[in-house]
Amino acid sequence: MLEVRALQFSQSVEVPLSDTDTATLAGVLSVQNGRGAGNLAVSFKRQFTAATWAEADVGFGQGPFFAMKCTHTLSKFSFATIALHFQDTPGGLAPGASLTLARQLWRHTVGTWTWKAGLDPGVGVSAARTTDTSKLVWTADVGFRKSGIGLQWQRELSKRTHVRAGLKLATTGLQLHYGGDHRLDDRNKLGVALAVGIPTGVVLKATVQRANQAYVFPVMLAGAPSLRVSFYGTVLPLALAYVVRRFVLLPHERRQRRRKLEQRRRENAAWTEQKRREALAAVRLMQETVERQIAAEEERGGLVVVQAVYGKLRAGADDDDDDKENAAAGGGGGGEVEEEEEVDEEEATRQQLIFDVTVALQCLVKDSQLHLQPASKAGLVGFYDPCVGERKQLRVQYRFKGKLHEIEIDDKEQLSIPKRSHLVK
């Protein structure tokens, strides 16, 4: 039977006071086994120099506490942090201190050494290897109350999704945990993790984070390690996450992208129409010259641009892919007439995002060759940007030595024609 033994809510607000001073107000409310607790903390941070900053914290809740710490960059590859704190205990005010030294060991690896004195004295070392998509941390601690070693791993599957796993062996027990999180947008993130340990049992922890607010829901699945409970505790959240992402989050994200895209198109409509007219005017001016050029190229079997179009030529995540995925999800129903009208509307919209640049490209042909630099083509004479802020492509069909060729490139790719690899077989 599932049992929720604890809940935790936290929130923090950071207020920049000046270029060098920052104040933070943070609060935590928690409930565990029917007993509530809370903490309220205020911190003040000052940046003295580019290499030195200090912070002071005052808190109330489970007894008042006061802490100060200062960090100084020793060199390009190392820094040190010293901290002092005072915690209210049944025996009176208990002081404590810590010293941390960190140094870059290799290009992607940083090692730290920490010494602590006070209620929980001890010494610890760690090494963290960080790359663009992953992080691996090894820790070892020796203390008066507990000692242990640990290993944690994290990997970025995408810009929004991360997975992590860890193993910790200590004098107080053994714990294996794994999970992941997914960022819905700039403000919201969901996470889930499963911890299996001795003597903690099997605990499923769900986390909801919105801006600086965090809500943590630990659910006790079993009082002792269980392979069966761990299996279901892993599979069921993954299945639920897939269903929610597939049928709730993805459609919501697509609708948001479409709304933003439509709004951007409306905002740029007047500017786009003006640029389109300027491009058409430029094409009309070069029409007669291009006709003579085509005649000369055809006479010697040179390069003739048959058709060239520029704009949104490929269906991206903002249009057709939506419909394909929704159809794959079993989204039936609806009349055929409505579907045909929607397809016709989408096709009409797509045609507005494409511009014929056949004449403009032919005008750039010199000695049966055409070379375009690796930059946006929207600035070329006879071109314009029909879909501002969206991915664009250039598709060219051309005839060289009487044979048809075709090539499609992204907007900022380099183009050099003719090439044998472009030959249509």
Side-chain angles (χ1 to χ4, degrees):
M1 181 178 179
L2 299 181
E3 181 181 359
V4 181
R5 290 189 174 183
L7 292 176
Q8 179 176 303
F9 307 91
S10 64
Q11 182 174 1
S12 65
V13 179
E14 187 174 279
V15 182
L17 303 177
S18 67
D19 293 339
T20 58
D21 300 333
T22 303
T24 303
L25 177 65
V28 178
L29 293 176
S30 61
V31 179
Q32 187 169 5
N33 295 327
R35 301 181 61 182
N39 287 305
L40 179 65
V42 180
S43 67
F44 175 80
K45 179 180 178 181
R46 165 163 287 186
Q47 188 85 34
F48 292 100
T49 66
T52 305
W53 61 267
E55 182 176 329
D57 303 296
V58 178
F60 306 92
Q62 296 177 333
F65 69 89
F66 174 73
M68 297 182 299
K69 66 178 178 180
C70 179
T71 297
H72 178 70
T73 301
L74 303 176
S75 68
K76 183 179 179 181
F77 302 103
S78 62
F79 68 89
T81 300
I82 185 170
L84 300 173
H85 61 267
F86 300 88
Q87 176 72 46
D88 184 45
T89 65
L93 198 63
S98 66
L99 174 64
T100 300
L101 300 175
R103 180 173 178 80
Q104 182 174 341
L105 304 178
W106 296 283
R107 181 180 179 183
H108 298 288
T109 305
V110 175
T112 61
W113 174 87
T114 302
W115 167 82
K116 296 186 296 181
L119 294 176
D120 186 20
V123 177
V125 294
S126 69
R129 175 177 170 79
T130 305
T131 64
D132 293 338
T133 59
S134 65
K135 184 176 182 179
L136 182 66
V137 181
W138 170 84
T139 60
D141 299 284
V142 178
F144 180 75
R145 294 186 175 182
K146 64 177 181 179
S147 302
I149 58 174
L151 185 67
Q152 297 186 32
W153 170 81
Q154 176 179 309
R155 183 168 182 82
E156 179 184 289
L157 299 182
S158 68
K159 291 183 178 180
R160 293 190 173 190
T161 306
H162 298 78
V163 293
R164 58 180 57 86
L167 177 66
K168 188 166 186 179
L169 174 63
T171 53
T172 55
L174 172 68
Q175 186 182 78
L176 168 68
H177 62 88
Y178 51 91
D181 60 69
H182 177 74
R183 182 170 293 279
L184 305 179
D185 50 41
D186 294 338
R187 297 173 57 85
N188 301 296
K189 183 169 69 173
L190 298 178
V192 63
L194 186 75
V196 183
I198 302 172
T200 55
V202 183
V203 179
L204 180 66
K205 182 183 293 185
T207 305
V208 179
Q209 184 174 337
R210 178 174 176 80
N212 292 327
Q213 299 175 344
Y215 306 90
V216 183
F217 305 91
V219 181
M220 174 66 74
L221 302 181
S226 169
L227 184 60
R228 176 171 161 271
V229 174
S230 300
F231 173 78
Y232 286 114
T234 301
V235 174
L236 292 181
L238 287 176
L240 179 61
Y242 174 79
V243 172
V244 171
R245 174 172 170 75
R246 182 69 178 80
F247 298 103
V248 179
L249 300 181
L250 284 179
H252 175 68
E253 291 175 2
R254 295 191 196 102
R255 286 193 296 269
Q256 283 189 323
R257 287 197 299 268
R258 279 192 170 185
R259 282 196 292 267
K260 291 180 180 179
L261 189 60
E262 291 170 359
Q263 180 181 357
R264 185 167 56 198
R265 289 174 180 173
R266 288 193 298 268
E267 293 174 350
N268 294 320
W271 182 88
T272 302
E273 178 61 21
Q274 178 184 349
K275 292 299 180 181
R276 187 183 75 86
R277 291 177 180 177
E278 293 176 359
L280 289 174
V283 168
R284 285 193 293 269
L285 290 176
M286 62 180 72
Q287 185 73 49
E288 185 177 345
T289 301
V290 167
E291 289 177 358
R292 293 196 299 268
Q293 186 185 44
I294 291 176
E297 291 288 342
E298 285 183 339
E299 184 177 352
R300 61 172 178 262
L303 176 60
V304 176
V305 179
V306 178
Q307 185 184 41
V309 288
Y310 174 70
K312 193 176 182 66
L313 305 181
R314 302 172 191 164
D318 298 308
D319 37 49
D320 282 358
D321 286 352
D322 279 351
D323 304 325
K324 293 176 183 177
E325 292 197 17
N326 289 336
E336 292 183 1
V337 175
E338 294 181 358
E339 292 179 358
E340 291 177 358
E341 291 178 353
E342 184 177 351
V343 170
D344 291 341
E345 183 179 350
E346 290 181 354
E347 182 62 27
T349 301
R350 185 170 299 157
Q351 290 302 320
Q352 296 175 359
L353 304 178
I354 299 174
F355 186 62
D356 191 306
V357 292
T358 305
V359 174
L361 271 190
Q362 184 66 57
C363 191
L364 296 175
V365 174
K366 302 296 180 184
D367 299 325
S368 297
Q369 291 187 349
L370 174 62
H371 301 285
L372 300 181
Q373 298 299 317
S376 177
K377 312 302 181 290
L380 297 175
V381 178
F383 282 66
Y384 83 102
D385 191 341
C387 44
V388 179
E390 301 178 51
R391 293 183 179 179
K392 294 171 281 292
Q393 297 81 35
L394 172 64
R395 182 185 299 142
V396 184
Q397 286 186 343
Y398 63 94
R399 190 166 55 249
F400 182 68
K401 293 184 178 180
K403 296 182 180 180
L404 186 64
H405 297 66
E406 184 173 353
I407 179 62
E408 181 178 308
I409 62 170
D410 288 330
D411 183 25
K412 296 184 179 181
E413 282 189 52
Q414 182 176 347
L415 176 66
S416 295
I417 59 177
K419 281 188 176 181
R420 186 175 299 176
S421 58
H422 301 164
L423 183 63
V424 177
K425 298 180 181 180

